[in-house]
Amino acid sequence: MSITQDIDDVLAYIKEASPGQDEFYQAAHEVLYSLIPLLEQDSRYMEFNILERIVVPERSVIFRVNWIDDQGKIQTNVGYRIQFNSTIGPYKGGLRFHPSVNLGIVKFLGFEQIFKNSLTGLQIGGAKGGSNFDPKEKSDNEIMRFCQSFMSELYKHIGKHRDVPAGDIGVGAREIGYLFGQYKKLTGEFDGILTGKGLNWGGSLVRKEATGYGSVYFAQNFLEACGKDLKGKKCTVSGSGNVAIYTIEKLYEFGAIPISCSDSKGTIYHEEGIDLLRLKTIKEMHHDSLESYADIDCSCVYTPVRDYPKDGHAVWDIACDVAFPSATQNELTLRDAKKLKENGCILINEGANMPTTAEALKFIRKTDILFSPGKAANAGGVATSQLEMSQNASMAQWSFEEVDIKLRQIMKNIFKMAYDTSVEFECEGDLVTGANIAGFRKVADSMIEQGAV
Ligand code: NDP
Ligand code: 2IT
C-alpha cells in the first residue's frame, strides 16, 4: 500500500472516530501530509504503526465543573485535560478558558503541542486542557470559585513528573494563582505542578514575556537567514493578550514598528506605532475592550469586528512587511493571505496556535512569502515553562537575563533545526515541513525505542 493511502486511512479513521472535531482533523492533516518525505526515507515509522498511534491521545479526561456565581446559583461547565503523548517527558501544555472550547479544539492544541515541545529540545510531552467557561464579565470571586472547582478534579491527574499545565487563552497569572492555591489546599504539597506561577511562589522571570519575545526572536532568525532583519519593518500584530503584547514590546526593541493589535470586538491600526503602555493598561490592568484605545487623541483607526470570516480580519488589510497572527486559530483566511501578498508582506510569523486556515496555508506555500509555523515560532512560552520547572526542581531562581539568554538560544536552535531539516528534505526554507518532520522524528524514534506501550 502507498504511504499516501496509509495517511488517508488514518485521516479517515480520525473523521469517523472523532466526528465534528474539525480543528483536530485540520492539524492532523497538515502534519501527516508533511511527513511524506520522511516516511518514504525510513520505513520503520509505518512498520511500527506510528501514525495511527500518534493521533490517539494516551488519556482524555473530561469532567464536570460546578461553581457558584455571585447570585448564589450553581453553574456548570465542562473541563478537559488531554494527555496526548508522554514519550519524551511529562505531559506539558496550557489550559484555555473560552466559550468556544470543545474536545476538538483541545485535541488539536494537544496534538500540536507534542511536536512543539519536541522542537524545544527539552524533555516535555504534549498535553492541553481547558474549559468552555467564559471569564469575560465575571467577577474576580467568580473566577476564583471556578478555578477552585476546576482544580478539585484536575489535581487527581497532574503532578510535577506527570503533567504540568500552564496558561493559554483566558488563563493568565490570576487564574494560575487560584488554581495553584486550590492544588496546595487539596494536597498539602507545595509543588511546581503549574507554570506561569507568581514570582514570589516559584514562577520564572521571563515566562510572562516568553511567547511573544520568542516569536520575535524566531522571526529575526528567519529574516537574518535570508539576509534581512526586523529593523524599520512595519509589523501587523493580531490579538491583544499575552502573546500579542510581548510581541509588540520585543518588536520595538528590534527597531521594528508594530502598527496594529486586535481583540474579539475590533482592530486598532496606529500608523506611528502601538502605544504599548496604553495597551497594557487597557488589557492587563482593566481587562477592557480595545475600543477605549481609540479614545486618545491620536491618529489611530478603530475598526469594529466584521462579518468574519466572510469579510476577513481587518488586521490583514493593513499593508505590512511582517504579519504576526497572535490571537487564535483560523484567524487568517485565504482572503487575508491574498491581501497580505498583494500588500507586499514578506513574512507571516505565527504567534498563535494554527492561526492560518488550511486554504490560506496552501496559498502561502505557493508564494514567496516566508512562513513560520506556530509550533516552531511560538514555542518560547512552553520552553520557558520548562525552565521554570528546572528552577523549581533545584529550588533556584535565575535572573531575567539568564532566562532570556536561554530563551534566545532555544529559539535559535528551533529555527536551525526546522531550517536544516527543510534542507535535508530538499525543500529549503519550507519550515512547515522542516518543523513537522524534526518534531515528529524525535518523538517517533523514542516511541519505537520504548516499545508498544
Ligand atoms: P490571551 O487570552 O491573553 O489573549 C487572546 C487574544 O486573542 C485576546 O486579544 C482575545 O480577544 C483574542 N481572541 C481570542 N479568541 C478569539 C476569537 N475567537 N476571536 C477573536 N479574537 C479572539 O491569550 P494568549 O495571548 O495567551 O494566546 C493567544 C494565542 O497564542 C492562542 O492561540 C494561544 O494558544 C497561543 N499561545 C499562547 C501561549 C502562551 O504562553 N500564552 C504559548 C503559545 C501559544 P478578547 O480579549 O476580546 O477575547
Ligand atoms: O500553546 C502553548 O504552548 C501554551 N499555551 C504554553 C504551554 C506551557 O506549558 O507553557
Side-chain angles (χ1 to χ4, degrees):
M1 211 165 34
S2 77
I3 285 169
T4 317
Q5 185 59 53
D6 276 340
I7 291 174
D8 286 341
D9 286 350
V10 175
L11 290 170
Y13 162 75
I14 292 178
K15 247 194 179 146
E16 201 186 316
S18 326
Q21 297 180 6
D22 296 345
E23 291 83 1
F24 174 49
Y25 185 83
Q26 181 185 340
H29 191 282
E30 182 216 291
V31 170
L32 297 193
Y33 264 94
S34 68
L35 298 176
I36 291 176
L38 174 71
L39 303 174
E40 280 172 351
Q41 187 195 73
D42 190 335
S43 61
R44 289 176 316 141
Y45 302 116
M46 292 315 220
E47 217 176 286
F48 286 89
N49 209 13
I50 298 296
L51 299 192
E52 221 176 299
R53 289 162 63 189
I54 212 161
V55 299
V56 180
E58 290 173 9
R59 190 171 303 97
S60 303
V61 186
I62 304 180
F63 49 98
R64 189 183 64 182
V65 187
N66 283 343
W67 56 281
I68 315 270
D69 70 15
D70 285 347
Q71 283 67 49
K73 277 188 74 175
I74 302 173
Q75 300 287 344
T76 300
N77 287 96
V78 183
Y80 302 89
R81 187 67 182 167
I82 306 300
Q83 298 178 328
F84 226 117
N85 194 298
S86 63
T87 310
I88 63 167
Y91 303 111
K92 183 84 197 86
L95 297 172
R96 177 178 291 191
F97 293 168
H98 193 272
S100 63
V101 166
N102 59 37
L103 186 55
I105 297 230
V106 185
K107 276 176 71 180
F108 117 67
L109 289 163
F111 183 70
E112 289 284 288
Q113 201 82 41
I114 304 171
F115 310 106
K116 182 195 306 194
N117 293 3
S118 163
L119 283 169
T120 65
L122 305 167
Q123 291 181 341
I124 36 182
K128 200 81 185 191
S131 173
N132 60 352
F133 172 74
D134 185 358
K136 288 215 185 84
E137 321 283 322
K138 301 287 189 303
S139 70
D140 247 24
N141 277 333
E142 287 178 322
I143 288 176
M144 181 175 72
R145 286 194 294 270
F146 174 80
C147 288
Q148 290 173 341
S149 297
F150 186 86
M151 185 51 87
S152 293
E153 177 63 31
L154 186 70
Y155 89 100
K156 299 170 192 165
H157 311 284
I158 62 175
K160 63 183 171 187
H161 299 304
R162 186 173 174 190
D163 183 357
V164 184
D168 193 77
I169 290 177
V171 179
R174 174 180 55 175
E175 291 74 20
I176 293 291
Y178 296 147
L179 290 163
F180 186 80
Q182 181 72 355
Y183 179 88
K184 195 158 53 64
K185 185 173 171 71
L186 291 167
T187 62
E189 303 280 336
F190 194 105
D191 261 345
I193 44 82
L194 290 164
T195 56
K197 298 188 290 297
L199 295 176
N200 292 327
W201 40 278
S204 174
L205 287 156
V206 195
R207 176 61 190 89
K208 180 176 70 174
E209 297 83 358
T211 311
Y213 280 16
S215 168
V216 177
Y217 293 150
F218 193 91
Q220 177 72 359
N221 275 295
F222 204 174
L223 289 173
E224 275 175 5
C226 304
K228 300 175 178 154
D229 76 51
L230 277 167
K231 200 167 169 39
K233 297 283 186 298
K234 285 193 171 185
C235 301
T236 44
V237 179
S238 67
S240 53
N242 175 266
V243 179
I245 288 174
Y246 293 96
T247 295
I248 290 172
E249 184 164 289
K250 189 51 80 175
L251 282 171
Y252 276 124
E253 280 182 41
F254 275 84
I257 314 152
I259 54 175
S260 74
C261 58
S262 67
D263 64 15
S264 53
K265 298 212 177 85
T267 294
I268 292 286
Y269 168 39
H270 196 161
E271 199 182 355
E272 295 99 72
I274 292 293
D275 179 343
L276 186 58
L277 189 62
R278 186 162 183 82
L279 176 62
K280 284 186 177 180
T281 308
I282 293 170
K283 286 292 172 185
E284 289 189 330
M285 281 174 67
H286 302 309
H287 302 282
D288 205 353
S289 144
L290 270 181
E291 208 168 352
S292 60
Y293 183 104
D295 293 346
I296 47 165
D297 183 21
C298 74
S299 55
C300 66
V301 178
Y302 178 75
T303 312
V305 80
R306 309 196 287 214
D307 185 1
Y308 180 83
K310 186 166 96 13
D311 296 332
H313 194 313
V315 171
W316 313 127
D317 285 354
I318 304 167
C320 68
D321 301 304
V322 184
F324 288 87
S326 308
T328 191
Q329 66 276 352
N330 291 328
E331 54 161 313
L332 197 159
T333 62
L334 176 59
R335 177 206 168 278
D336 299 327
K338 286 183 175 165
K339 199 85 194 169
L340 285 168
K341 173 68 190 149
E342 212 177 291
N343 285 333
C345 174
I346 57 170
L347 165 66
I348 298 172
N349 198 80
E350 293 190 326
N353 284 306
M354 206 170 73
T356 310
T357 66
E359 297 75 26
L361 183 57
K362 199 168 164 194
F363 169 80
I364 293 161
R365 291 177 77 182
K366 285 189 196 139
T367 69
D368 57 355
I369 302 179
L370 304 173
F371 183 82
S372 315
K375 63 171 74 64
N378 73 35
V382 73
T384 308
S385 277
Q386 198 277 352
L387 301 179
E388 183 171 325
M389 290 161 70
S390 293
Q391 291 168 79
N392 293 163
S394 56
M395 298 184 101
Q397 186 164 45
W398 304 337
S399 69
F400 192 96
E401 209 189 354
E402 268 176 286
V403 183
D404 191 36
I405 288 171
K406 288 183 202 294
L407 171 62
R408 271 180 202 254
Q409 189 57 49
I410 290 169
M411 296 316 294
K412 197 173 188 163
N413 295 347
I414 296 174
F415 171 73
K416 190 166 166 5
M417 201 190 302
Y419 197 89
D420 289 352
T421 308
S422 76
V423 172
E424 183 187 341
F425 287 92
E426 292 170 7
C427 54
E428 184 170 358
D430 170 4
L431 299 195
V432 172
T433 302
N436 285 342
I437 290 185
F440 171 87
R441 184 156 50 181
K442 188 168 136 193
V443 176
D445 288 350
S446 309
M447 285 170 78
I448 294 170
E449 285 160 12
Q450 290 177 20
V453 287

